Amino acid sequence: MNARIPDDALPPTLDPDALQAYVDRQWDDEIIPALTDYIAVPAKSPAFDADWEKNAYIERVVRDAAQWVESRKVAGLKLEVVRLPGRTPVIFFDAPATRADSGDTILLYGHLDKQPEFSGWRSDLGPWTPKYEDGKLYGRGGADDGYAIYASLTAIMALDAQGVARPRCVGIVETCEESGSYDLLPYIDALRDRLGNVALVVCLDSGAGNYDQLWMTTSLRGLVAGTLEVQVLDEGVHSGDSSGVVPSSFRILRHLLDRLEDSSTGRLLPQSLHCEIPAQRREQVRETARILGDEVWRRFPWSCGAEGGFVLPMTTHPEEALLNRTWRPTLSVTGAEGLPPLSSAGNVLRPRTAFKLSLRLPPLVDAVSASQEIKQLLEADSPYNAKVIFHADQGAATGWNAPESAAWLTRALDAASHQYYGAPCGYIGQGGTIPLMSMLQQGFPKAQFMVCGVLGPRSNAHGPNEFLHVPYGKRLTAAVAQTMAAMPV
């Protein structure tokens, strides 16, 4: 597999076959059982569980992960569950360097909080009922991103088991990521002196274009989420008596959304929500489109549409589809209130309609400014003088555009991809959001970034039948370990 690995990219004392064998054993014997227990716990993020502290599910997964890390016997490793009043806890661990200490630090990141259940799970699956089948571990949170802390420690242990020298490694594992990481910045401030000089960030919370090679994330979109509410009456009234006199709250809401989005194309109208796409990213998109082809859009579970044909994507052009999901703003309506179930929807003109909005922003658009502009746009000059409120959620998150990779990192990533996948490293932007990446780039402007993950085609994070592709996770763990060992002194 490694015939094309650059001569200077593989650490001279590292045995990659032994490394992969060690990682495989850890996954089979330790990580899969730990993740099976983890998936069974409904540790929903605070945005989806207002009683998270009382329910103590987050506390349980934090305790379980911390105990697992402390039982690994890494020389000199220290672990602390850091707590700030009123905030979700953070796990912080510190594994001292095993080589001449240059003062540089590798920061490994993950999170343990989860998205809510959602509907549509296969009859033999469920969000809190883990199942291991055909190399896939099904259930909520295993791939997004509960495996990260276990894989991070395994990568460290795999190097130590061979006596391969490595830099100091610290880990931050949060429990507020799925809510926008609004608790995280105070922890970063509190831990800043203990982080040291962060020279490499390893984030295992991202995705992969396929399961055939190592994929590096080059950009992440930002996020503004919130609730848009329209109220016209104090109580519902007979629709036959009132329609034509009382304006529909749903129609007003549609009108307001037309200010934000062209419903015929999906393009967001305010120009300030767009940004110039860097030439380097366009070149990478062209290469990624060449690798993935129509799988860019075919990978989604399309429903049957008109006359038995499948629903069509917004574009079948792979390059445009990649740009749409990574560098262009989009609007999704992810929830609603004020609409009764069909089975109990009587002839009543409803007093109120509320939509949960999720706006993904290009990597270079400031989320706080965008949130303020969206609020003003939606609330100004309300039709019929209706009561209109846009309430933005906590944690508006600005996106991230990766800095240029150092030559050593580019060589190391390609070497690791050839070694453990038999193919070159791929580069892809992601449409999701990891707020910490922007924070870290601002705080450590000279740091390099290895942002990657197991969320490949059909893994379906946040939705039904979410799974962790275990063979890919094993290879990714080995690739992370080898890349850490390649970091120059």
Side-chain angles (χ1 to χ4, degrees):
M1 271 192 177
N2 61 359
R4 295 169 59 190
I5 297 175
D7 293 338
D8 60 345
L10 191 66
T13 60
L14 186 144
D15 180 341
D17 293 331
L19 178 70
Q20 185 68 78
Y22 181 95
V23 167
D24 289 350
R25 286 194 303 272
Q26 287 293 312
W27 268 87
D28 291 337
D29 297 344
E30 302 286 347
I31 297 180
I32 292 174
L35 288 177
T36 299
D37 292 341
Y38 164 77
I39 287 170
V41 183
K44 289 184 283 189
S45 200
F48 313 107
D49 182 4
D51 294 325
W52 65 267
E53 198 164 10
K54 177 182 177 182
N55 290 332
Y57 295 127
I58 284 179
E59 183 66 25
R60 177 176 166 185
V61 296
V62 166
R63 181 198 65 212
D64 290 349
Q67 289 177 349
W68 191 93
V69 171
E70 290 178 316
S71 69
R72 297 304 97 184
K73 310 298 183 187
V74 174
L77 183 139
K78 297 179 181 178
L79 179 142
E80 180 184 352
V81 178
V82 187
R83 303 178 190 276
L84 294 176
R87 299 192 182 276
T88 50
V90 162
I91 296 175
F92 178 75
F93 66 80
D94 188 337
T98 59
R99 69 184 190 187
D101 191 359
S102 64
D104 287 341
T105 296
I106 297 175
L107 171 60
L108 299 118
Y109 167 81
H111 68 87
L112 291 169
D113 57 312
K114 307 181 185 184
Q115 284 278 320
E117 297 86 344
F118 205 74
S119 58
W121 288 79
R122 211 172 73 190
S123 60
D124 61 329
L125 300 175
W128 323 124
T129 53
K131 184 174 185 178
Y132 189 34
E133 177 183 88
D134 298 330
K136 301 179 180 69
L137 181 58
Y138 288 90
R140 177 67 78 236
D144 183 23
D145 161 47
Y147 84 100
I149 186 170
Y150 301 99
S152 295
L153 259 292
T154 296
I156 293 170
M157 293 189 298
L159 296 177
D160 292 357
Q162 289 193 35
V164 176
R166 58 164 176 78
R168 173 180 179 247
C169 297
V170 302
I172 290 179
V173 182
E174 65 163 316
T175 53
C176 190
E177 196 273 347
E178 299 292 3
S179 300
S181 292
Y182 56 77
D183 278 346
L184 188 57
L185 185 56
Y187 282 106
I188 296 297
D189 289 340
L191 293 168
R192 190 173 300 277
D193 291 342
R194 297 165 65 180
L195 296 179
N197 179 38
V198 176
L200 175 65
V201 175
V202 178
C203 170
L204 297 177
D205 187 29
S206 195
N210 57 33
Y211 297 112
D212 303 322
Q213 61 203 106
L214 179 63
W215 287 90
M216 288 298 105
T217 298
T218 57
S219 64
L220 296 160
R221 284 193 292 187
L223 174 65
V224 171
T227 301
L228 175 60
E229 178 180 4
V230 175
Q231 185 162 354
V232 296
L233 296 168
D234 291 330
E235 60 186 24
V237 294
H238 190 308
S239 62
D241 181 45
S242 60
S243 57
V245 177
V246 178
S248 161
S249 61
F250 189 91
R251 179 168 63 85
I252 293 172
L253 197 147
R254 286 167 51 203
H255 177 80
L256 295 173
L257 291 183
D258 284 343
R259 300 176 178 179
L260 184 59
E261 178 193 53
D262 181 341
S263 60
S264 65
T265 65
R267 177 182 171 83
L268 294 199
L269 298 175
Q271 192 56 40
S272 59
L273 301 184
H274 296 257
C275 75
E276 186 71 24
I277 303 173
Q280 180 189 23
R281 298 294 175 241
R282 287 187 176 274
E283 292 173 8
Q284 289 172 337
V285 162
R286 281 192 287 272
E287 174 61 16
T288 301
R290 185 192 66 78
I291 295 171
L292 299 180
D294 288 347
E295 185 61 17
V296 170
W297 59 269
R298 288 187 182 276
R299 66 190 182 92
F300 296 104
W302 298 99
S303 178
C304 290
E307 300 178 355
F310 288 104
V311 175
L312 297 174
M314 292 170 63
T315 176
T316 58
H317 194 291
E319 286 186 33
E320 286 301 301
L322 286 168
L323 290 172
N324 281 352
R325 67 178 286 273
T326 59
W327 278 92
R328 290 170 182 149
T330 56
L331 168 67
S332 299
V333 176
T334 61
E337 284 184 353
L339 297 165
L342 295 177
S343 59
S344 59
N347 290 321
V348 175
L349 195 151
R350 298 173 299 99
R352 167 184 175 270
T353 303
F355 278 180
K356 183 65 176 286
L357 307 184
S358 174
L359 292 106
R360 298 289 179 174
L361 303 173
L364 301 180
V365 171
D366 180 76
V368 174
S369 297
S371 179
Q372 294 169 347
E373 179 177 355
I374 291 164
K375 181 176 177 66
Q376 182 178 8
L377 178 72
L378 295 174
E379 291 184 351
D381 301 322
S382 63
Y384 304 100
N385 201 34
K387 182 180 179 180
V388 175
I389 298 174
F390 177 71
H391 178 73
D393 293 350
Q394 293 188 73
T398 298
W400 172 77
N401 185 36
E404 185 175 355
S405 292
W408 76 264
L409 181 58
T410 300
R411 290 195 305 271
L413 294 173
D414 208 44
S417 190
H418 279 295
Q419 179 65 55
Y420 301 107
Y421 297 91
C425 184
Y427 294 86
I428 190 169
Q430 293 295 341
T433 307
I434 308 174
L436 180 62
M437 295 306 102
S438 178
M439 297 180 199
L440 290 177
Q441 188 168 349
Q442 294 176 28
F444 302 95
K446 295 182 180 180
Q448 294 289 291
F449 286 79
M450 182 181 184
V451 179
C452 49
V454 297
L455 294 171
R458 298 174 178 83
S459 56
N460 213 26
H462 301 193
N465 310 324
E466 177 183 337
F467 68 76
L468 192 163
H469 192 289
V470 172
Y472 191 86
K474 291 176 177 179
R475 292 192 292 269
L476 179 63
T477 305
V480 168
Q482 181 170 304
T483 302
M484 292 196 305
M487 194 172 109
V489 177

